[in-house]
Amino acid sequence: MIVRSAAQTIASAGIPLKVQSVSRRGISTLPNNPHIYIFPDERAINRHLLSFLPTQPSKPQLAIGTTALIPPTPDSLAENHQFLSILQTVIGIHAHEDPDIQSQAQAMASSGGANLGSGGSLFPQQRQRRTRQQGHGYGGGGGGDGAGGASAQGGMGSAGRGGHIHVYDYRHPPDFGRIPDPEDIFGSLELDGEGNFVDGHGNYQTSGTYRMCTRDGILGLSPFLRQRLVERLRQEEEMLG
């Protein structure tokens, strides 16, 4: 099996493996994310496709990316930008329906933005002051809309002015009242002064700073968004035939 061959190759090079892939009904999954399946990449020796779909053979167009190492590292993972586009589309359509994100919005509204567990705690005045000092918003201006992209936003305005909450990767949940790392932020949703999603869906903005693999691990979604993503990937799979 190619996954085992890759492990043997790494071991022979003197690189220790702390964890092993998990086998599920004959299909291996990542040791740090059992929802991601591992398949041999037939286009290269000792390279693997990572996918949320268990279908064999796996379709490279729908794969998260490719890697020579299991588990993948930030350097080993080659991201599939087509998958990332699908992921962001799914988040943009469904994030406001996620029970976890709805809870964040309610907590944000009830506290006026001063007591956020995960959406961010910068008030607009603080954000503007940081922007003037740095010349860019939080995240170095790496994509998204507005100053520094969606990763620069977070927190509720005063006097019912509304604000933004972040949609972030579950691999590294932020500490209470802190903004997630820019590389963990998918994007942000806009709330009105009562904690409702603006225009009913929150006007989702991508951050432009998200990375699918970091030192904290690979892509991790809430159960709700993961289910929506798998449904969309299956639709795409059917169209590919």
Side-chain angles (χ1 to χ4, degrees), residues 166-182:
H166 294 308
V167 183
Y168 61 89
D169 196 301
Y170 275 32
R171 66 188 165 212
H172 186 208
D175 293 333
F176 186 82
R178 302 298 298 270
I179 295 177
D181 293 337

Side-chain angles (χ1 to χ4, degrees), residues 72-191:
T73 66
D75 291 332
S76 76
L77 181 68
E79 297 183 356
N80 176 10
H81 296 290
Q82 183 174 345
F83 169 84
L84 183 58
S85 177
I86 294 172
L87 171 64
Q88 287 287 12
T89 297
V90 169
I91 294 174
I93 294 172
H94 296 290
H96 70 285
E97 302 170 337
D98 190 326
D100 290 351
I101 295 173
Q102 291 175 350
S103 295
Q104 292 179 38
Q106 293 171 4
M108 187 176 187
S110 64
S111 63
N115 190 23
L116 299 181
S118 54
S121 57
L122 288 178
F123 291 93
Q125 295 89 341
Q126 293 173 308
R127 186 168 65 250
Q128 292 168 4
R129 187 158 56 246
R130 173 179 285 189
T131 300
R132 286 196 297 270
Q133 292 172 347
Q134 296 181 347
H136 293 286
Y138 187 68
D145 298 325
S151 61
Q153 302 166 351
M156 200 75 162
S158 59
R161 289 170 52 191
H164 293 81
I165 58 173
H166 294 308
V167 183
Y168 61 89
D169 196 301
Y170 275 32
R171 66 188 165 212
H172 186 208
D175 293 333
F176 186 82
R178 302 298 298 270
I179 295 177
D181 293 337
E183 62 190 6
D184 292 327
I185 298 175
F186 296 116
S188 67
L189 294 169
E190 185 178 2
L191 303 179

Side-chain angles (χ1 to χ4, degrees), residues 49-70:
L49 290 171
L50 304 179
S51 177
F52 276 99
L53 297 178
T55 308
Q56 298 187 73
S58 182
K59 289 182 166 54
Q61 304 96 313
L62 304 180
I64 297 169
T66 61
T67 178
L69 300 180
I70 300 296

